[in-house]
């Protein structure tokens, strides 16, 4: 019997105002559900994009009080969907912030959360410098979750450059890998497509990646191009711009076993030692 799931990726252009972002989030999630999606993913920093530390700290909430978290729980139950908030900033109460993803079940319960592990601490050619570790506390655990028809692996944005997370999730049974993101325009134009397709191919898994896109109120530019990719690396759906909106694709989960049967690299892994030949 064919196992299929209709997946949606919500592309946003989040602002520095949480209420505005919550309204946009709810509108786009409803649009995705109306198209028949059973799993809906939103991008990294769904609830707030604010690079000024002081302004960020004044605008965020603890998890139990966060408007996006409470809205997601209510919407998932109302719409009867698996709702994956790609991430939103959460006040940890210790002076640091968590870049935290949330997965809600169709009954409205929080199934799992995930804190971004890898911090985007880089200096780009165009003069952009980012130091996420100055504000955010990295997570220390990778996460998978059973969503009924499939096993889902959670990751966020910069994590996509660290293949070990996805390999370990695939070995644990993940059939859908996720990388909701707020990729910069420069790095997105260079690497977005190739990184996402590589994670799909090397793990024989679907990849769903909802993205931020466009010029944001805090001045940053993000790439957009939300995508859904199959285990053979084919792009099933792409938001081919940086505008807010929804993409959707029905995925046949039997293709995971087919791809892994054709290229059984997960089974062919062998231990090895690295030798310094100097």
């Amino acid at each position: 019997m064919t196992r299929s799931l209709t997946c949606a990726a919500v592309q946003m252009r989040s602002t520095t105002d949480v209420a505005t972002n919550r309204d946009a989030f709810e509108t786009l999630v409803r649009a995705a559900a109306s198209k028949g999606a059973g799993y809906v993913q939103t991008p990294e920093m769904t609830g707030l994009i604010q690079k000024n530390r002081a302004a960020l700290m004044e605008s965020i909430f603890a998890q139990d009080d966060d408007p996006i978290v409470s809205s997601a729980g209510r919407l998932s139950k109302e719409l009867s969907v698996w709702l994956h908030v790609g991430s939103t900033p959460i006040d940890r109460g210790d002076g640091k912030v968590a870049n935290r993803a949330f997965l809600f079940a169709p009954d409205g319960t929080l199934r799992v959360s995930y804190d971004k592990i890898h911090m985007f601490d880089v200096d780009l050619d165009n003069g952009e410098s980012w130091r996420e570790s100055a504000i955010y506390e990295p997570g220390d655990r990778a996460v998978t979750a059973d969503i009924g028809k499939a096993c889902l692996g959670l990751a966020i944005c910069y994590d996509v450059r660290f293949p070990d997370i996805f390999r370990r999730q695939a070995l644990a049974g993940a059939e859908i890998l996720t990388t909701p993101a707020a990729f910069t325009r420069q790095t997105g134009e260079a690497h977005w497509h190739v990184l996402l397709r590589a994670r799909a191919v090397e793990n024989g898994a679907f990849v769903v990646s909802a993205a931020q896109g466009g010029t944001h109120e805090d001045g940053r530019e993000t790439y957009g191009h939300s995508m859904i990719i199959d285990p053979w690396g084919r792009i099933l759906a792409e938001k081919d711009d940086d505008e807010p909106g929804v993409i959707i694709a029905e995925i046949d989960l039997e293709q995971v076993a087919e791809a892994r049967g054709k290229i059984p690299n997960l089974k062919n892994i062998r231990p090895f030692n690295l030798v310094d030949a100097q």
Side-chain angles (χ1 to χ4, degrees), residues 124-138:
L124 300 176
D125 292 341
N126 64 356
E128 288 184 68
S129 290
W130 300 94
R131 293 293 180 272
E132 283 188 343
S133 62
I135 300 174
Y136 296 95
E137 183 69 20

Side-chain angles (χ1 to χ4, degrees), residues 90-148:
I90 296 294
D91 187 350
R92 287 167 38 102
D94 59 359
K96 283 275 193 171
V97 182
N99 188 346
R100 184 167 295 167
F102 297 91
L103 178 67
F104 287 87
D107 63 2
T109 59
L110 177 60
R111 179 57 57 88
V112 73
S113 64
Y114 164 74
D115 288 359
K116 184 177 181 180
I117 292 174
H118 297 99
M119 299 291 97
F120 191 55
D121 290 357
V122 303
D123 298 303
L124 300 176
D125 292 341
N126 64 356
E128 288 184 68
S129 290
W130 300 94
R131 293 293 180 272
E132 283 188 343
S133 62
I135 300 174
Y136 296 95
E137 183 69 20
D140 59 6
R141 63 187 184 100
V143 174
T144 62
D146 181 355
I147 61 169

Side-chain angles (χ1 to χ4, degrees), residues 24-275:
F25 160 76
E26 292 196 3
T27 296
L28 289 165
V29 169
R30 289 184 187 281
S34 73
K35 297 176 184 291
Y39 164 81
V40 181
Q41 180 192 123
T42 69
E44 181 183 29
M45 292 296 152
T46 289
L48 183 69
I49 283 191
Q50 173 60 269
K51 64 184 178 182
N52 180 281
R53 180 189 174 96
L56 176 72
M57 297 305 294
E58 291 177 358
S59 301
I60 61 175
F61 300 84
Q63 179 172 317
D64 290 345
D65 300 320
D66 186 81
I68 297 294
V69 174
S70 60
S71 177
R74 174 176 50 80
L75 274 179
S76 61
K77 183 175 183 178
E78 175 190 336
L79 302 172
S80 192
V81 297
W82 288 94
L83 181 49
H84 178 183
V85 177
S87 87
T88 202
I90 296 294
D91 187 350
R92 287 167 38 102
D94 59 359
K96 283 275 193 171
V97 182
N99 188 346
R100 184 167 295 167
F102 297 91
L103 178 67
F104 287 87
D107 63 2
T109 59
L110 177 60
R111 179 57 57 88
V112 73
S113 64
Y114 164 74
D115 288 359
K116 184 177 181 180
I117 292 174
H118 297 99
M119 299 291 97
F120 191 55
D121 290 357
V122 303
D123 298 303
L124 300 176
D125 292 341
N126 64 356
E128 288 184 68
S129 290
W130 300 94
R131 293 293 180 272
E132 283 188 343
S133 62
I135 300 174
Y136 296 95
E137 183 69 20
D140 59 6
R141 63 187 184 100
V143 174
T144 62
D146 181 355
I147 61 169
K149 292 185 177 181
C151 181
L152 186 83
L154 280 72
I156 298 171
C157 200
Y158 192 47
D159 286 335
V160 75
R161 295 183 184 272
F162 300 86
D164 284 357
I165 291 178
F166 305 93
R167 175 52 49 83
R168 291 182 66 179
Q169 290 174 340
L171 290 171
E175 299 162 292
I176 303 172
L177 305 175
T178 66
T179 56
F183 246 62
T184 68
R185 182 172 302 280
Q186 182 182 8
T187 57
E189 289 174 346
H191 300 146
W192 179 244
H193 290 76
V194 68
L195 285 170
L196 296 181
R197 295 182 69 193
R199 298 297 85 83
V201 170
E202 67 197 10
N203 294 296
F206 288 94
V207 170
V208 182
S209 298
Q212 295 281 353
T215 301
H216 300 264
E217 283 185 340
D218 74 343
R220 81 184 72 193
E221 289 186 87
T222 53
Y223 183 57
H225 291 263
S226 300
M227 285 197 288
I228 301 172
I229 302 167
D230 80 2
W232 207 245
R234 294 169 293 212
I235 298 173
L236 301 179
E238 178 178 0
K239 187 78 169 65
D240 195 19
D241 55 32
D242 62 9
E243 294 296 320
V246 175
I247 60 168
I248 196 161
E250 183 176 2
I251 65 173
D252 177 3
L253 290 155
E254 299 301 330
Q255 291 181 10
V256 174
E258 292 174 6
R260 292 174 179 176
K262 292 174 182 176
I263 309 292
N265 60 311
L266 297 181
K267 293 183 178 179
N268 295 157
I269 295 171
R270 289 178 51 81
F272 60 89
N273 296 316
L274 177 64
V275 176

